[in-house]
Amino acid sequence: MEIKIALVGCGNVGTAFIELLAEKRNELKNKFGFFFSLVMVSDKIKGTICNKNGFDIDELVLALHEEHNLSHFEQAKGNFQEVLLASGANFLAECTPTDFETGEPGMSHIKFALDNGISVSTTNKGPIALAIDDLKQIADGHGAKIFCEGTVLSGTPLLDLLKNGLAGCEILEVQGILNGTTNFILSQMEQGQTYEAALKKAQLLGFAEANPRQDVEAFDPAGKVLVLAKLIYGINVDFNSIKRIGITHVTKEMIEIAAKNNHRIKLIAGIHRDINGLHLYVMPRELENTHPLASVNGATNAITLTTDNLGDITLIGPGAGRRETGQALLHDLIEFARTK
Ligand code: HSE
């Protein structure tokens, strides 16, 4: 079987996905039984290239490393939609930046692909948070599939765990650290760094969103909680109804006082259930050092799922990063090949 892959959004994550494809091609063939070709790469800044027979992936990796652009290749003619159809792709990896208000540009890319029977894996949280039901419906109507493992906890397989590993369990409560950037900043501030320096470092390391307000004002973890509410409970929640407080008001002094009391300040995102229904929130909380989420450092994420059959399950792993999120796309590609 051959999968023809198109990629839109060739920044940190998209480039890491291409590197992973190059690195794992033999494993994909020998262990998972499929060949792939990369037939299109499109990026707002780097332009759009297309080769129906598949690019030489090593040449592509080299060009991206050495030139940080796609000028080595002839630019394709036509807009994204025209080139995508001409490429013959049957799988689109969508890695454009998140916009929780409109979901664009990812929303249009994903809808167009699904409408044309092209399956999609996205790491873009906007379209999934805003319209996962619609997108699934379009996919179903056109014999395509939509995957989104990378939207929560990057490549740490939380969505897979919810779908497969915890099948049959009822989730009673969700509590987690769902944003790598803010956890990184809080950890750095504990070590004496300023908020500004820590944010800059998170941007350099590729954890932060293109607009870091999404992280520090907690739009990003709020979007992730919304995705979880949909996937776990099947409910649609209005983004604006989520109780959302970021870390911009957390000071060095607050962190020091917490430490004196054997506490740590963490940005906690969760879903609480009571007789009035489900309550989604993101807010800084002071946790005792013995709390399972208190020891999670840097860009690492963690989530505790309280279940009826297994009690508490805590999953800890990377929540951001180029290769870590590229892994989520690779996971989805393998899942697509398995179910095709
Ligand atoms: N900016 C996000 C974070 C990236 O820091 O968690 C991963 O979703």
Side-chain angles (χ1 to χ4, degrees):
M1 180 194 5
E2 186 180 8
I3 300 177
K4 288 180 177 275
I5 304 168
L7 169 75
V8 57
C10 191
N12 282 326
V13 172
T15 303
F17 178 53
I18 298 176
E19 289 162 9
L20 282 171
L21 288 175
E23 202 178 308
K24 305 272 181 177
R25 71 192 114 184
N26 290 335
E27 192 178 334
L28 296 179
K29 184 174 65 185
N30 299 333
K31 192 165 168 191
F32 299 103
F34 69 92
F35 297 93
F36 69 85
S37 53
L38 185 57
V39 292
M40 172 182 175
V41 180
S42 181
D43 183 84
K44 198 176 155 202
I45 296 165
K46 296 171 184 157
T48 298
I49 57 173
C50 174
N51 180 343
K52 277 197 316 198
N53 300 318
F55 286 100
D56 176 333
I57 198 147
D58 296 317
E59 192 184 350
L60 194 53
V61 169
L62 198 67
L64 285 167
H65 279 185
E66 291 193 342
E67 294 156 27
H68 305 285
N69 62 41
L70 298 168
S71 60
H72 180 75
F73 303 88
E74 191 188 337
Q75 288 287 308
K77 292 187 180 62
N79 61 27
F80 168 80
Q81 287 85 349
E82 287 161 350
V83 181
L84 182 64
L85 291 184
S87 75
N90 55 2
F91 184 88
L92 174 69
E94 211 285 340
C95 318
T96 57
T98 295
D99 179 329
F100 284 116
E101 274 170 31
T102 64
E104 295 297 350
M107 189 79 91
S108 297
H109 294 154
I110 297 172
K111 280 187 174 166
F112 181 81
L114 297 175
D115 256 331
N116 286 280
I118 300 167
S119 292
V120 176
S121 164
T122 188
T123 56
N124 187 332
K125 292 146 272 189
I128 298 300
L130 295 172
I132 189 166
D133 285 338
D134 292 349
L135 297 175
K136 277 195 168 148
Q137 211 179 330
I138 300 173
D140 289 346
H142 294 84
K145 295 199 175 80
I146 170 116
F147 305 90
C148 56
E149 183 62 61
T151 55
V152 191
L153 259 64
S154 69
T156 304
L158 172 63
L159 304 193
D160 197 315
L161 178 71
L162 287 168
K163 186 175 164 201
N164 296 307
L166 292 178
C169 279
E170 190 181 348
I171 310 291
L172 306 172
E173 176 101 26
V174 176
Q175 218 189 8
I177 294 172
L178 301 186
N179 181 267
T181 300
T182 46
N183 203 50
F184 178 83
I185 293 173
L186 292 173
S187 302
Q188 291 274 304
M189 284 172 76
E190 284 173 339
Q191 289 164 22
Q193 285 273 5
T194 63
Y195 169 88
E196 290 77 17
L199 172 58
K200 194 150 202 150
K201 210 162 161 187
Q203 287 177 296
L204 283 174
L205 290 167
F207 305 145
E209 294 299 301
N211 176 358
R213 266 192 66 212
Q214 303 265 8
D215 299 295
V216 296
E217 293 181 19
F219 292 97
D220 172 83
K224 289 166 177 167
V225 163
L226 197 140
V227 171
L228 291 179
K230 180 73 222 175
L231 296 179
I232 297 172
Y233 300 109
I235 57 147
N236 291 312
V237 179
D238 176 15
F239 193 89
N240 295 318
S241 73
I242 302 172
K243 183 164 183 181
R244 179 182 53 80
I245 306 172
I247 62 158
T248 48
H249 70 287
V250 176
T251 61
K252 198 166 147 262
E253 290 67 38
M254 288 159 82
I255 288 174
E256 281 167 5
I257 293 168
K260 277 191 192 129
N261 294 322
N262 292 323
H263 290 173
R264 295 183 84 188
I265 297 178
K266 294 288 177 194
L267 185 67
I268 301 298
I271 307 174
H272 177 68
R273 260 174 36 158
D274 64 19
I275 49 164
N276 297 315
L278 296 175
H279 307 277
L280 279 60
Y281 63 87
V282 190
M283 62 180 83
R285 280 205 169 152
E286 220 178 290
L287 304 179
E288 288 186 16
N289 283 349
T290 50
H291 190 287
L293 298 178
S295 57
V296 177
N297 286 312
T300 303
N301 280 189
I303 190 162
T304 299
L305 303 162
T306 303
T307 73
D308 57 349
N309 298 339
L310 295 169
D312 282 358
I313 302 279
T314 298
L315 182 65
I316 303 178
R322 57 196 300 286
R323 186 176 171 98
E324 293 82 351
T325 313
Q327 158 59 25
L329 293 162
L330 191 65
H331 164 280
D332 288 350
L333 175 69
I334 294 168
E335 182 71 10
F336 173 64
R338 278 181 171 146
T339 53
K340 204 167 147 24

